[in-house]
């Protein structure tokens, strides 16, 4: 064994030929599935400006970027495709007819701790549906993603669906500022974790709210009215001020009162959120629980009805409803989602393995500079996890092995051997054996080791007779024939 000072960086991978062939075959199958739905292949740069990826991507996104500076601008290796697709749309396609259907594939990079199911380089394939779509678009995105898994022979998985937009609408009914609502959404995962739960989240929210400059979030008129009222009360009661003005004390009292009121509002909102994220299960069961919880509010009821209608469309795509699980505590990791969110998880072995994931992001394109708000939904497959799951089931893509090895006896045979090999390559994979020394035994040993079924021998006798010697490596039978018969023989069992 030889040792080298050079090794792969942690979290990156090499693919040997058999693995690369399997990945290419699976990629092609997934791409063909999306093409049949009308999604056209597009390519975006491997490198983007970092601020594009940080727009609504989450507070910790910057720590997961492979970024670098060039000419005073921060650039990064792309960590996903949606932001790039949205940027391409804004730059060149926002005035084109809608909807736009794109698919993409390629490596992406995230600086994460390398694990068995997480690496720093991985391959994404996916699609974006941009433009008016609604219920039909949501169902198409999930249905197409599911059809891709079926196409690569993966059937044992669960489609988990949530709705960030519905949760957001419910939180909007409480008297909380935008930052607090966003923080509460970010705590959904902590709310469902057994080691944290309600008490942890409540403590975090109250602590955060207590540290904010609450007073200055009020309208100036409301501030003045409340402060003046408290000041008059203190002055009429002749309360001592211990060296501080009655206005200063009134201001502090008003601020404390407002904080107490907001804490009550946080608790009420958290009660609602806790009940909402507890809803999970088959569609019929989950929607019954959701109906019992939702208020009689037109916009919220419309969102819930659209959510139900989307799920009811899935059987049209061949997705059985018993393969679907509604899970209202699913928020996913990116802040740009505004509606339906979904993931597919394996049901055997490592149940945490996510095969694809996506959701609706109707606000994101406008944030990037589009002239008007644009609906959009997308998803992405994780190729490495799909390959891992296929291997768990014992599947493998057809191996791109060499079917014929052409061997020369002498240098004078090189031209004829090259001609024969070129003709064979029109029909089967063919390799020309070029050893450092002429050695037929060495060539036969190589064919055995690589599993090559046929060896073609070209020598002086073959050239003089305008014939070729063909050896079947499985049976050991050897025959002499012309090129036409050779093609028939080696192609008959391919």
């Amino acid at each position: 064994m030889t040792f080298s000072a050079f090794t792969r960086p942690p979290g990156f991978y090499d693919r040997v030929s058999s693995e690369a062939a399997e990945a290419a075959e699976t990629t092609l199958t997934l791409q063909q599935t999306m093409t049949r739905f009308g999604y056209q292949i597009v390519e975006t740069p491997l490198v983007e400006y970092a601020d594009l990826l940080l727009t609504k991507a989450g507070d910790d996104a910057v720590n997961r970027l492979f970024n670098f500076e060039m000419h005073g601008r921060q650039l990064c290796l792309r960590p996903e495709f949606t932001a790039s697709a949205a940027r391409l749309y804004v730059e060149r396609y926002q005035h084109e007819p809608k909807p736009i259907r794109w698919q993409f594939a390629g490596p992406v990079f995230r600086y994460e701790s390398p694990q068995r199911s997480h690496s720093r380089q991985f391959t994404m394939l996916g699609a974006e549906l941009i433009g008016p779509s609604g219920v039909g678009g949501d169902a198409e995105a999930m249905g197409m993603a599911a059809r891709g898994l079926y196409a690569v022979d993966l059937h044992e998985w669960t489609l988990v669906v949530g709705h960030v937009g519905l949760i957001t609408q419910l939180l909007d009914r409480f008297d909380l500022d935008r930052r607090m609502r966003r923080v509460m959404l970010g705590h959904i995962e902590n709310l469902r974790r057994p080691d944290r739960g309600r008490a942890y989240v409540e403590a975090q929210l109250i602590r955060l709210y207590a540290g904010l400059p609450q007073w200055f979030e009020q309208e100036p008129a409301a501030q003045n009215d409340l402060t003046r009222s408290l000041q008059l009360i203190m002055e009429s009661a002749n309360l001592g001020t211990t060296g501080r003005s009655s206005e200063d004390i009134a201001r502090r009292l008003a601020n404390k009162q407002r904080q107490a009121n907001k804490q009550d509002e946080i608790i009420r909102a958290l009660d609602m959120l806790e009940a909402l994220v507890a809803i999970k299960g088959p569609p019929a069961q989950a929607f019954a629980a959701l109906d019992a919880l939702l208020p009689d509010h037109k916009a919220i009821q419309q969102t819930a009805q659209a959510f139900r209608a989307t799920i009811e469309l899935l059987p049209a795509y061949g997705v059985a409803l018993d393969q679907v699980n509604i899970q209202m505590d699913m928020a996913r990791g990116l802040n740009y989602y505004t509606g339906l969110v979904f993931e597919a998880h394996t049901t055997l072995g490592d149940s945490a393995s996510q095969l694809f994931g996506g959701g609706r992001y109707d606000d994101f394109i406008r944030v990037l500079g589009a002239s008007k708000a644009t609906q959009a939904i997308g998803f992405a497959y994780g190729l490495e996890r799909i390959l891992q799951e296929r291997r768990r089931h014992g599947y493998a893509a057809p191996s791109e092995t060499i079917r014929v090895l052409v061997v020369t006896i002498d240098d004078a045979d090189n031209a004829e051997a090259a001609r024969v090999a070129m003709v064979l390559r029109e029909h089967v994979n063919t390799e020309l054996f070029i050893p450092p020394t002429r050695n037929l035994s060495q060539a036969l040993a190589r064919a055995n080791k690589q599993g090559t079924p046929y060896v073609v021998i070209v020598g002086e006798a073959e050239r003089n007779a305008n014939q070729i010697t063909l050896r079947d490596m499985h049976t050991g039978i050897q025959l002499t024939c012309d090129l036409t018969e050779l093609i028939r023989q080696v192609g008959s069992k391919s």
Side-chain angles (χ1 to χ4, degrees), residues 10-55:
F12 294 81
Y13 59 79
D14 298 308
R15 279 200 179 114
V16 299
S17 58
S18 60
E19 295 169 342
E22 182 186 12
E25 181 76 11
T26 304
T27 296
L28 179 60
T29 301
L30 293 171
Q31 288 181 317
Q32 287 174 338
T33 300
M34 292 184 283
T35 298
R36 292 189 185 106
F37 276 75
Y39 286 73
Q40 299 178 327
I41 295 175
V42 297
E43 294 185 7
T44 58
L46 192 65
V47 174
E48 293 277 9
Y49 286 116
D51 52 4
L52 169 69
L53 281 307
L54 296 177
T55 303

Side-chain angles (χ1 to χ4, degrees), residues 51-162:
D51 52 4
L52 169 69
L53 281 307
L54 296 177
T55 303
K56 297 192 74 175
D59 296 335
D60 64 339
V62 66
N63 298 320
R64 297 187 290 115
L65 292 181
F66 281 91
N67 63 307
F68 56 95
E69 182 178 332
M70 181 173 287
H71 304 302
R73 290 292 301 272
Q74 286 291 322
L75 297 104
C76 66
L77 300 179
R78 65 187 179 207
E80 46 103 13
F81 280 96
T82 298
S84 296
R87 189 256 317 142
L88 174 62
Y89 171 81
V90 171
E91 283 185 341
R92 298 176 57 181
Y93 286 89
Q94 60 176 310
H95 302 298
E96 296 296 319
K98 312 296 185 301
I100 291 172
R101 289 178 168 90
W102 285 337
Q103 61 167 295
F104 51 83
V108 295
F109 304 86
R110 295 179 187 173
Y111 191 79
E112 298 180 330
S113 299
Q115 303 172 31
R116 184 174 62 85
S117 58
H118 293 276
S119 59
R120 291 173 176 172
Q121 174 189 346
F122 52 100
T123 307
M124 271 189 174
L125 297 94
E128 309 293 340
L129 173 58
I130 301 174
S133 54
V135 168
D138 288 353
E140 177 175 294
M142 292 190 292
M144 181 172 67
R147 298 310 306 176
L149 292 187
Y150 295 150
V152 296
D153 296 319
L154 294 182
H155 299 268
E156 295 174 330
W157 46 268
T158 298
L159 178 61
V160 182
V161 189

Side-chain angles (χ1 to χ4, degrees), residues 201-256:
V201 173
E202 186 174 318
Q204 294 296 312
L205 294 175
I206 297 300
R207 186 177 300 115
L208 172 65
Y209 206 87
L212 293 176
Q214 310 291 332
W215 175 265
F216 298 101
E217 294 176 4
Q218 288 185 331
E219 293 294 329
Q223 296 178 29
N224 293 336
D225 289 347
L226 182 57
T227 302
R228 183 59 181 160
S229 297
L230 289 172
Q231 185 178 354
L232 289 173
I233 291 172
M234 286 189 299
E235 289 175 352
S236 64
N238 196 25
L239 297 176
T241 60
T242 63
R244 290 182 294 175
S245 69
S246 58
E247 181 179 359
D248 182 47
I249 294 176
R251 184 182 294 271
R252 290 172 181 269
L253 288 173
N255 191 35
K256 287 182 179 181

Side-chain angles (χ1 to χ4, degrees), residues 453 470-479:
L470 173 66
R471 182 183 180 91
D472 186 324
M473 297 302 295
H474 295 311
T475 65
I477 296 174
Q478 194 164 289
L479 62 88

Side-chain angles (χ1 to χ4, degrees), residues 15 154 189 241 273 291 302 441-442 456:
R15 279 200 179 114
L154 294 182
E189 182 176 352
T241 60
L273 193 61
D291 289 343
Q302 287 176 339
S441 297
Q442 185 182 22
V456 168

